[in-house]
Structure formats: C-alpha cells, structure tokens
Amino acid sequence: TVLGQFLASIMMLIGYAIIAIPTGIVSVELARTSQAPAGSVTCPACARSGQAPEDTYCRFCGSKL
C-alpha cells in the first residue's frame, strides 16, 4: 500500500541518519585531535600551534618562539 511504502521510506531515512550522523561527529573529532601533535609549541605572536619543540621561529608568521 501507499501508506506502507511511505512508512518504509521514512524508516530507511531514520536508519541512515542514525548511522551517518555519529560517523561524521567521530571523524571530525579524530581530525581535530590529529592536527596538533603532542609536544607542539604555540606561537605567542599568532597563537597557532603545530611547531616542533626544536623550532626557533614560527612556521606560519616567522616570529621568534
């Protein structure tokens, strides 16, 4: 029936949303945590992290660390 097809399509969309939305949230969090490596230094001038501890100058703005 038309009602059964409509309910089935709504249930399929809900099922896809239950899988897709948490997958997107988890992948964004994984990407966010992998951007700044452990032990990285933050530049006091531009406030960007990602410099290695042995760096003398900022990779982004060139100011002294």
Side-chain angles (χ1 to χ4, degrees), residues 8-41:
S9 61
I10 296 296
M11 294 300 289
M12 283 190 292
L13 291 175
I14 290 172
Y16 288 138
I18 288 173
I19 293 171
I21 292 173
T23 303
I25 293 170
V26 169
S27 61
V28 165
E29 290 299 320
L30 285 175
R32 184 179 300 163
T33 58
S34 67
Q35 285 177 352
S40 66
V41 178

Side-chain angles (χ1 to χ4, degrees), residues 41-49 51 56 58 61 63-65:
V41 178
T42 302
C43 175
C46 67
R48 291 182 71 176
S49 61
Q51 283 72 245
T56 307
C58 177
C61 69
S63 65
K64 190 166 180 72
L65 293 176

